[in-house]
Amino acid sequence: MPGEKQTAVKYYIGVDVGSASVRAALVDGFGTVVAHAEQPIQIWEPQPDHYEQSSADIWAACCSVTKEVVRGVDASQIRGLGFDATCSLVVVDKQFQPLAVNSEGQNHRNVMMWMDHRAASQVKCINATQHRVLNYVGGAMSVEMQPPKLLWIKENLPESWEKVGYFFDLPDFLSWKATGVTARSLCTVVCKWTYTSDRGWDDSFWKMIGLEDLVKDKYEKIGNHVLSPGEAVGKGLTPDAAKDLGLPEGIAVAASLIDAHAGGLGVIGADVKGHNLPCENQPITSRVAMICGTSSCHMGVSETPIFVPGVWGPYFSAMVPGLWLNEGGQSAAGKLIDHVVRGHVAFPELEAKAAASAHSIYTYLNSHLDLIKKSLPVGFLTVDLHVWPDFHGNRSPLTDLTLKGMVVGLTLSRGLDELALIYLATIQAIALGTRHILEAMQAAGHDITTLFLCGGLSKNPLFVQMHADITGKPVVLSKEVESVLVGAAILGACASGDFASIQ
């Protein structure tokens, strides 16, 4: 009304660094994404199982997507900024300059990706110690965590090791880049580095695995100042970072989350009133958030610690403050579907037909399956075709990175029908892997009634339906599909002080 003072809308920015791209969103106080941008980032694969990125390339992409989402917005309305990222390892020297994680000495390639499996022999040595910290990662450390990668660098790149100033988890590198503060997030150090919220770092573990030099420098290199996710870092954006990102300096920057945890945060607290779901009047502990992207993560929270063999955690306050987190997962989900589909002899035909019908290849495959299913539900098409999905090892609950994939029931047919069937069988195999994880969690004491899905694969109706059919649980999809970005923005909103807590 004229003459009445209008309250300006407050905005929060979420920046999400996935495996292959960086995305940003401008989110309002109700959790609605009002602007969204994306930019690809580079991945180097110099040899099998080696996956590398560049922290400079990643930061440049963060800056460009952030500038894009705030274009035309009054800067005074932007209150906070939150980052999430894959749990990749960033290596810099004492002057914070990039250091090579490769024998070619390519310093700009200073990020060892989460899916890099080069440290297989190191993880074996670490697990052989049976050290007590392993109880908090399901009993065995994964090759996707940081200690084996640190040990690999020490053993294989002594020159880089000597020059190292800091090892960052990628989410912490981003909050450092924004604020100049080297504080780490409780989420990253607890989930990927063996920190515990009650005891902190365990000196005996690092000494036992041959990384006693990290203890000697009082953990300066891997972090001795730890903040809860959503806590404000330092004095907010530095002048340099503000200029890079196109934001005003001093805006609150939150302690970050790993990307899957941001997705979990973005969906697990959803309001489900009036949808007749079994979790409606149940505590949040009856829900599992599943983040389905290149890999998949299954996040369940509990009031008290639950030890699930083969499932990571229990991690205290690593996703929702005050609750314990268990995290199951599959090392290849979207990457596996892509690998199977693109490697099939009929892929060029699929690509041409999908393009001609102006649909994505997966939309086209889904409708092709509907055409050939006849009278039975689509799931029955693969009664004689089975995929074992551990092409990149098993993360949970078998925790065996040496496992390989398998397809049983192949024929001599080479057409589009066969490609559609193997695509369906691969999705079913991933859903059966999810069921295996949920059964392990339930056997250990979780009471799970409902699945909340987010991430790229949750946009594929066949993927969602197969998960509902195979787990026998209702699947909830958020109205706001960019749940990971909402989770990152929640961090920024919490850091701004506009909300009292993450909850």
Side-chain angles (χ1 to χ4, degrees), residues 206-474:
W206 297 100
K207 289 171 179 165
M208 192 180 270
I209 67 170
L211 293 178
E212 59 290 329
D213 20 0
L214 298 176
V215 183
K216 275 206 291 273
D217 69 13
K218 296 193 174 61
Y219 297 102
E220 177 70 23
K221 287 183 178 142
I222 61 173
N224 45 25
H225 178 204
V226 178
L227 299 172
S228 279
E231 222 178 306
V233 183
K235 296 186 170 74
L237 275 188
T238 63
D240 284 353
K243 203 168 104 218
D244 286 352
L245 293 158
L247 296 171
E249 65 179 87
I251 280 181
V253 176
S256 52
L257 280 172
I258 298 166
D259 55 349
H261 301 62
L265 193 62
V267 292
I268 203 163
D271 176 8
V272 296
K273 280 187 198 72
H275 291 282
N276 203 17
L277 285 161
C279 64
E280 182 170 336
N281 295 308
Q282 295 295 314
I284 194 172
T285 51
S286 67
R287 308 174 175 194
V288 158
M290 186 174 159
I291 298 84
C292 333
T294 306
S295 68
S296 70
C297 301
H298 306 72
M299 312 298 226
V301 290
S302 56
E303 298 276 350
T304 54
I306 299 176
F307 292 84
V308 186
V311 171
W312 297 343
Y315 301 136
F316 186 63
S317 283
M319 184 174 81
V320 182
L323 293 177
W324 293 84
L325 170 72
N326 281 109
E327 178 186 350
Q330 294 156 295
S331 296
K335 190 169 174 64
L336 176 65
I337 295 168
D338 239 24
H339 173 80
V340 167
V341 169
R342 290 176 185 277
H344 194 279
V345 68
F347 180 69
E349 182 192 347
L350 166 66
E351 218 174 9
K353 287 189 164 158
S357 70
H359 283 119
S360 79
I361 54 174
Y362 295 117
T363 304
Y364 189 88
L365 279 173
N366 292 352
S367 56
H368 191 78
L369 285 165
D370 278 336
L371 282 178
I372 57 178
K373 75 176 187 199
K374 307 203 171 61
S375 58
L376 285 171
V378 77
F380 288 91
L381 283 169
T382 47
V383 66
D384 296 321
L385 181 64
H386 309 288
V387 174
W388 179 265
D390 294 330
F391 285 46
H392 199 46
N394 181 288
R395 188 189 292 170
S396 316
L398 303 176
T399 63
D400 185 345
L401 71 102
T402 66
L403 282 179
K404 304 285 184 276
M406 180 164 66
V407 184
V408 178
L410 292 171
T411 68
L412 290 174
S413 308
R414 305 157 56 93
L416 201 50
D417 285 6
E418 279 60 43
L419 170 49
L421 292 180
I422 196 162
Y423 157 72
L424 171 61
T426 304
I427 286 178
Q428 289 171 326
I430 293 168
L432 285 158
T434 292
R435 176 169 155 178
H436 192 187
I437 292 163
L438 295 178
E439 285 171 353
M441 289 172 75
Q442 288 174 159
H446 280 276
D447 178 21
I448 299 158
T449 64
T450 316
L451 285 181
F452 287 69
L453 260 60
C454 67
L457 289 174
S458 69
K459 298 170 189 170
N460 180 335
L462 182 71
F463 185 89
V464 176
Q465 189 61 57
M466 287 303 126
H467 274 76
D469 291 355
I470 285 169
T471 63
K473 296 195 187 297

Side-chain angles (χ1 to χ4, degrees), residues 479-502:
K479 197 161 62 178
E480 190 52 78
V481 290
E482 300 300 346
S483 305
V484 180
L485 285 164
V486 172
I490 286 172
L491 297 173
C494 187
S496 73
D498 292 347
F499 295 84
S501 68
I502 289 277

Side-chain angles (χ1 to χ4, degrees), residues 106-184:
Q106 298 281 320
N107 281 332
H108 66 286
R109 284 163 34 204
N110 67 320
V111 179
M112 206 186 282
M113 287 185 74
W114 62 271
M115 61 184 184
D116 185 301
H117 281 194
R118 73 180 74 173
S121 66
Q122 286 76 13
V123 86
K124 216 166 154 185
C125 297
I126 291 171
N127 285 332
T129 68
Q130 296 188 328
H131 193 281
R132 61 175 174 258
V133 298
L134 301 177
N135 295 337
Y136 287 88
V137 289
M141 181 162 287
S142 163
V143 71
E144 293 171 12
M145 292 175 180
Q146 309 303 7
K149 291 177 172 157
L150 299 176
L151 194 53
W152 187 92
I153 293 171
K154 183 175 181 177
E155 290 173 359
N156 293 277
L157 303 173
E159 279 182 29
S160 280
W161 185 261
E162 283 309 308
K163 292 182 191 151
V164 166
Y166 302 89
F167 293 106
F168 286 105
D169 217 278
L170 182 54
D172 296 324
F173 170 81
L174 297 171
S175 59
W176 164 74
K177 197 79 180 142
T179 63
V181 175
T182 60
R184 309 304 205 275

